[in-house]
């Protein structure tokens, strides 16, 4: 850890040590890194005698509830959520207010006291902000912080951290620094991290209808191209989503497993109309295409090779808008 980062780590730990009550966010449409990071930090703080609340704008996927403290994450409406003055607000794995609240219109009524994140661009304002964009996951940053601060990592904390790292590297397909990540994983396994439990719940426990919905994404997949660019695109409307029981996480699974894996095609886009008139987009790329910049034109953001955004409007209108804006982006 760099000297500047060491100083920031000490300042963050001092701030947390002085407080008795904490609120930790789990971001919208929670993924393994968000849930794993939040539950790991919550366990560490509770060992220090702190009272910790975990909050999220959306329900936690059932397959993530095996992590210790995940069942304690409360679903809240941030537009009406009251932060007690004595509570420290800790934001993890979130680069903007809309990612915290799950709503582009809802603003947080409380400035975060601490922000720890790994996204390319973080627009949050906080007196203590630790952002390391080269990290593969926020859980990786927490591991480094815990190691530097000599925080004890037990089996459950190690499992949460490992889950976060595996989730954001798509189970080690896309680590930013493979050598470092494998060393961290080795240490977490030595601490007792339950790798098999993570694999079972995160990869081997999908419902039948979730896999059927994945098939619908693949069935509707098409190559869209003009003289400047070509990409793989698939979009599922709300009626089809409802038909399969509205399972969570399938859009991300489709994007991660298939939509950047095509020969001679470096960009994939997956759309899901999660609510009538609201489509959530996942962008995936390889090579030099930076989808965090592409997602910005849709009001979203993320990482170089994985990003997302939300668009409102009729299904067919949004599909056309997506194609047009991508074509325009690569024409410039």
């Amino acid at each position: 850890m760099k000297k500047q980062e060491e100083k920031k780590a000490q300042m963050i730990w001092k701030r947390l040590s002085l407080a008795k009550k904490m609120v930790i966010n789990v971001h919208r449409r929670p993924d393994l890194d968000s849930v794993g990071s939040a539950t790991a930090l919550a366990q560490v703080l509770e060992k220090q005698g702190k009272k910790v609340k975990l909050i999220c704008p959306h329900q936690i996927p059932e397959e993530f509830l095996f992590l210790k403290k995940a069942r304690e994450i409360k679903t809240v409406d941030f537009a009406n959520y009251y932060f007690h003055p004595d509570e420290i607000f800790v934001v993890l794995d979130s680069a903007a207010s809309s990612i915290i609240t799950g709503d582009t219109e809802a603003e947080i009524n409380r400035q975060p006291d601490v922000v720890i994140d790994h996204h390319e661009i973080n627009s949050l304002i906080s007196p203590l902000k630790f952002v390391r964009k080269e990290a593969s996951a926020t859980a990786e940053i927490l591991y480094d912080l815990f190691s530097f601060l000599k925080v004890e990592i037990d089996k459950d904390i190690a499992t949460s951290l490992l889950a976060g790292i595996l989730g954001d590297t798509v189970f080690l397909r896309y680590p930013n620094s493979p050598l470092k990540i494998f060393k961290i994983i080795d240490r977490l396994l030595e601490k007792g991290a339950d790798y098999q439990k993570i694999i079972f719940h995160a990869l081997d426990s999908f419902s039948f209808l979730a896999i059927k919905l994945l098939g619908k994404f693949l069935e509707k997949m098409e190559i869209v191209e003009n003289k400047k660019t070509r990409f793989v695109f698939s979009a599922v409307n709300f009626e089809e989503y409802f038909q399969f029981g509205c399972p969570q996480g399938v859009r991300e699974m489709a994007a991660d497993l298939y939509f950047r894996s095509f020969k001679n095609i470096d960009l994939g886009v997956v759309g899901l109309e999660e609510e009538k008139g609201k489509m959530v987009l996942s962008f995936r790329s390889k090579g030099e295409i930076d989808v965090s910049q592409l997602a910005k034109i849709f009001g979203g953001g993320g990482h170089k090779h994985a990003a997302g955004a939300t668009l409102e409007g009729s299904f067919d209108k949004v599909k056309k808008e997506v194609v047009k804006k991508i074509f325009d982006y690569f024409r410039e």
Side-chain angles (χ1 to χ4, degrees):
M1 190 179 290
K2 301 173 184 176
K3 288 288 184 183
Q4 186 177 2
E5 289 182 336
E6 291 179 358
K7 182 178 180 181
K8 185 65 68 69
Q10 290 170 337
M11 292 171 65
I12 288 173
W13 191 243
K14 182 178 180 181
R15 184 73 179 94
L16 297 176
S17 298
L18 290 173
K20 294 182 179 179
K21 300 177 181 179
M22 318 281 176
V23 177
I24 301 174
N25 85 298
V26 176
H27 66 54
R28 69 183 182 187
R29 302 183 187 91
D31 59 17
L32 265 181
D33 190 25
S34 182
V35 178
S37 296
T39 55
L41 182 59
Q43 292 174 69
V44 167
L45 292 173
E46 286 192 344
K47 284 177 175 288
Q48 306 295 324
K50 314 299 181 184
K51 292 184 178 179
V52 182
K53 294 180 185 176
L54 292 160
I55 59 174
C56 180
H58 295 142
Q59 187 174 356
I60 305 302
E62 184 178 352
E63 58 267 26
F64 297 169
L65 295 178
F66 72 96
L67 294 172
K68 187 174 181 179
K69 296 198 68 66
R71 292 185 181 276
E72 298 177 27
I73 300 171
K74 185 178 180 182
T75 306
V76 302
D77 176 4
F78 271 90
N80 300 305
Y81 186 79
Y82 172 73
F83 289 93
H84 193 278
D86 293 340
E87 294 173 331
I88 296 297
F89 183 32
V90 182
V91 169
L92 303 177
D93 200 33
S94 299
S97 295
S98 60
I99 298 174
I100 299 172
T101 65
D103 187 346
T104 55
E105 303 296 326
E107 291 292 329
I108 313 170
N109 54 24
R110 166 75 178 271
Q111 183 188 70
D113 296 282
V114 175
V115 172
I116 301 173
D117 184 36
H118 72 123
H119 288 84
E120 292 283 332
I121 300 172
N122 190 298
S123 63
L124 296 173
I125 298 173
S126 172
L128 289 173
K129 190 171 173 179
F130 194 116
V131 177
R132 188 195 285 166
K133 64 181 182 180
E134 66 270 19
S136 295
T138 296
E140 175 192 335
I141 301 174
L142 286 178
Y143 173 83
D144 287 341
L145 289 173
F146 295 161
S147 298
F148 170 71
L149 296 165
K150 301 190 185 315
V151 172
E152 180 184 355
I153 297 176
D154 63 17
K155 178 179 179 179
D156 292 321
I157 296 170
T159 300
S160 285
L161 292 174
L162 179 57
I165 290 170
L166 291 176
D168 255 27
T169 60
V170 192
F171 288 81
L172 303 180
R173 287 179 70 186
Y174 306 106
N176 289 345
S177 177
L179 180 60
K180 181 183 180 187
I181 287 297
F182 278 98
K183 285 181 177 178
I184 291 175
I185 290 174
D186 181 57
R187 293 165 190 153
L188 290 174
L189 292 173
E190 287 180 349
K191 297 288 185 180
D194 197 332
Y195 176 79
Q196 292 301 328
K197 181 180 282 190
I198 296 170
I199 295 298
F200 175 79
H201 287 280
L203 294 182
D204 294 339
S205 298
F206 292 107
S207 71
F208 180 77
L209 288 178
I211 300 301
K212 292 281 284 184
L213 177 59
L214 176 62
K216 179 62 68 172
F217 278 113
L218 300 181
E219 175 191 326
K220 301 184 74 158
M221 181 190 304
E222 58 183 327
I223 296 175
V224 183
E225 60 185 324
N226 64 6
K227 292 181 180 180
K228 292 287 185 180
T229 190
R230 65 202 302 253
F231 62 98
V232 177
F233 183 39
S234 181
V236 170
N237 65 36
F238 179 74
E239 287 76 17
E240 292 166 321
Y241 183 45
F242 185 79
Q243 174 188 346
F244 292 107
C246 301
Q248 298 182 60
V250 180
R251 169 181 50 83
E252 298 92 328
M253 178 169 61
D256 286 335
L257 295 181
Y258 299 105
F259 279 74
R260 58 178 159 195
S261 301
F262 293 92
K263 187 176 182 179
N264 300 323
I265 301 177
D266 293 340
L267 174 64
V269 183
V270 184
L272 175 62
E273 192 179 29
E274 290 191 349
E275 302 173 28
K276 194 66 178 175
K278 182 179 288 188
M279 185 185 292
V280 182
L281 298 167
S282 290
F283 302 91
R284 296 294 185 270
S285 69
K286 56 189 177 186
E288 295 305 313
I289 296 179
D290 185 346
V291 288
S292 69
Q293 297 303 312
L294 176 59
K296 283 173 64 175
I297 70 173
F298 295 96
H303 307 291
K304 180 176 181 179
H305 295 302
T310 301
L311 288 180
E312 295 188 3
S314 69
F315 181 75
D316 290 335
K317 180 182 177 182
V318 169
K319 280 185 64 180
K320 291 178 181 178
E321 182 181 352
V322 170
V323 173
K324 181 181 183 302
K325 284 189 173 182
I326 291 176
F327 282 167
D328 290 344
Y329 176 81
F330 285 100
R331 188 172 63 234
E332 295 175 356

